[in-house]
Amino acid sequence: MSSDSGVERILLISSDPEREIALVSWCLKALQSVGSPELHVITVLPELDYSIKRWLSQNPESHQLEQWVLDENSRRQFMIELAEAAGVKLIIHVCFGKLFYDSIQYARFHQVDLVVKMVQSNPQTLNSLLFDSQDMHLLRKCPMPLLLYKHGTPLPFSTVMASVDVSLGEDWGDDDNIDLNQQIFQWAQWMNAHQPIHIAHAWEEGIEFYAKHWSMDLSDQEFNELSESTFRQHQTALSRSIDQIEFTQKPIVHYLNGEAVDSICQATKSLSTDLLVMGTLARSGLAGFLIGNTAEQVLENINCSVLALKPEGFVSPIPPPKEIRPQIIQVATD
């Protein structure tokens, strides 16, 4: 995504249309300022087991599959009306399969700019995680920016936080974090261009650990000077990343001295964050299958919407299909 091109194709993974009205309206509004806007909506029904397939093959006159598709489309009639009013091309696709797999295949086939899915916390679950297994599959394997929207969060987003990491030293310009941070900043600003975004950088100085285990005999003054020097290094590195972006409003920067997962999660709570924008770095050797350990732990402990971005060069383990199955209803608006 470049700062001037905007987003032209959004894919909404739709499972509960009656509760997605606000999210659909937000998607359409986000698309209205571009030249050829398209909102794709995919509904993935459970994959048919052998007994159902056999019954359908023995009763071809039942037209049950077609009826299921028609029923799902009728539940989304309001999307057609909203898209027509907004002047946005709407494509609704209903299929049978695995939600994360078919959604990623569809997204790759149509080269969408953003994938959106609504999530909702379930207080009755034992682990009380916001994101379920389908969400985690999407987070690990979707190559496009992925917005997991927590149901009930006001739209447009008000408080947007961008969580970034930096590398210290003279070779900072060669670090992969630089490009990913630019994406994070641009997307965070796109999500809320009317208010300054919050930028959070968590870091651990580790001086106390080294002083204890290396028997470093530091005076209070030396300890404070070393701590201040470490902070300035992080501050300089982050400033370099921030200076690469032309923000519409000056961002609010938070330096979080402490363990990354706890610091970021606590910051989202204290700021009542609506949306956390973060990168998901794949572990070496298993690129495309796992997200970074810190990112995964953050996702397991936060309770707000998330926009997850993959680094440049990420390769999804889910290939694009040669074609998309024909259960499509297309609404073209002039």
Side-chain angles (χ1 to χ4, degrees):
M1 174 190 177
S2 64
S3 58
D4 56 351
S5 63
V7 174
E8 295 190 350
R9 293 189 191 93
I10 294 178
L11 172 62
L12 171 64
I13 302 172
S14 176
S15 301
D16 192 355
E18 289 77 13
R19 308 186 77 184
E20 294 166 353
I21 298 175
L23 188 57
V24 171
S25 298
W26 177 85
C27 291
L28 292 171
K29 186 174 182 180
L31 289 166
Q32 282 184 296
S33 61
V34 298
S36 302
E38 294 180 8
L39 175 59
H40 296 250
V41 178
I42 185 171
T43 298
V44 184
L45 301 176
E47 196 165 17
L48 302 176
D49 62 27
Y50 175 78
S51 59
I52 295 178
K53 289 181 178 178
R54 182 177 180 182
W55 183 88
L56 291 172
S57 65
Q58 294 174 348
N59 300 271
E61 70 282 355
S62 68
H63 303 293
Q64 187 59 58
L65 288 179
E66 293 86 345
Q67 188 59 52
W68 283 334
V69 172
L70 288 173
D71 290 345
E72 288 300 321
N73 279 301
S74 65
R75 295 179 66 199
R76 291 162 180 82
Q77 179 62 36
F78 75 91
M79 298 183 184
I80 297 174
E81 296 169 358
L82 290 175
E84 289 177 341
V88 174
K89 181 178 180 180
L90 175 70
I91 300 174
I92 299 177
H93 177 68
V94 181
C95 62
F96 299 84
K98 294 181 179 179
L99 185 145
F100 78 90
Y101 192 94
D102 286 82
S103 297
I104 293 176
Q105 281 210 319
Y106 187 96
R108 296 197 66 185
F109 184 83
H110 289 281
Q111 298 181 326
V112 302
D113 302 306
L114 174 65
V115 178
V116 178
K117 180 181 180 292
M118 187 186 76
V119 299
Q120 48 190 341
S121 57
N122 184 359
Q124 296 181 345
T125 57
L126 295 177
N127 54 19
S128 69
L129 296 178
L130 178 61
F131 308 115
D132 62 21
S133 61
Q134 295 293 330
D135 300 327
M136 296 307 295
H137 275 299
L138 288 167
L139 285 162
R140 292 173 179 134
K141 300 167 185 176
C142 181
M144 288 82 174
L146 171 67
L147 171 61
L148 294 178
Y149 168 74
K150 179 185 175 183
H151 178 259
T153 302
L155 291 169
F157 298 107
S158 177
T159 306
V160 176
M161 177 186 292
S163 174
V164 296
D165 194 11
V166 296
S167 294
L168 309 182
E170 297 298 327
D171 59 344
W172 70 275
D174 297 327
D175 187 75
D176 291 338
N177 283 327
I178 297 298
D179 292 336
L180 182 58
N181 288 350
Q182 307 314 302
Q183 293 183 55
I184 292 173
F185 293 151
Q186 288 173 349
W187 275 101
Q189 184 165 245
W190 184 82
M191 286 290 174
N192 185 6
H194 303 297
Q195 295 188 42
I197 67 169
H198 295 260
I199 296 176
H201 169 54
W203 58 286
E204 290 184 89
E205 56 189 22
I207 298 174
E208 293 181 349
F209 174 85
Y210 297 131
K212 176 180 179 181
H213 292 275
W214 289 0
S215 300
M216 297 170 64
D217 188 13
L218 297 176
S219 66
D220 290 344
Q221 180 178 349
E222 289 172 327
F223 184 91
N224 292 334
E225 288 176 352
L226 185 55
S227 178
E228 180 64 24
S229 174
T230 303
F231 168 72
R232 286 198 298 268
Q233 290 180 56
H234 284 268
Q235 188 179 43
T236 299
L238 182 57
S239 295
R240 286 170 171 169
S241 283
I242 293 175
D243 290 343
Q244 305 301 309
I245 298 295
E246 184 176 344
F247 290 95
T248 55
Q249 298 191 53
K250 185 178 180 180
I252 302 169
V253 183
H254 304 268
Y255 294 94
L256 312 175
N257 186 359
E259 197 275 329
V261 175
D262 290 341
S263 298
I264 294 170
C265 294
Q266 183 57 45
T268 62
K269 293 178 182 177
S270 61
L271 292 171
S272 299
T273 302
D274 296 319
L275 175 68
L276 175 65
V277 184
M278 62 184 297
T280 54
L281 294 169
R283 298 188 183 104
S284 60
L286 292 172
F289 287 91
L290 298 174
I291 59 180
N293 185 55
T294 298
E296 185 144 358
Q297 290 183 58
V298 169
L299 292 165
E300 290 175 352
N301 289 278
I302 60 171
N303 193 33
C304 65
S305 300
V306 168
L307 176 64
L309 307 176
K310 294 294 190 301
E312 189 73 24
F314 173 84
V315 179
S316 174
I318 298 178
K322 295 181 180 179
E323 61 180 358
I324 293 292
R325 284 170 288 202
Q327 295 114 347
I328 296 178
I329 286 185
Q330 180 168 310
V331 178
T333 59
D334 298 323

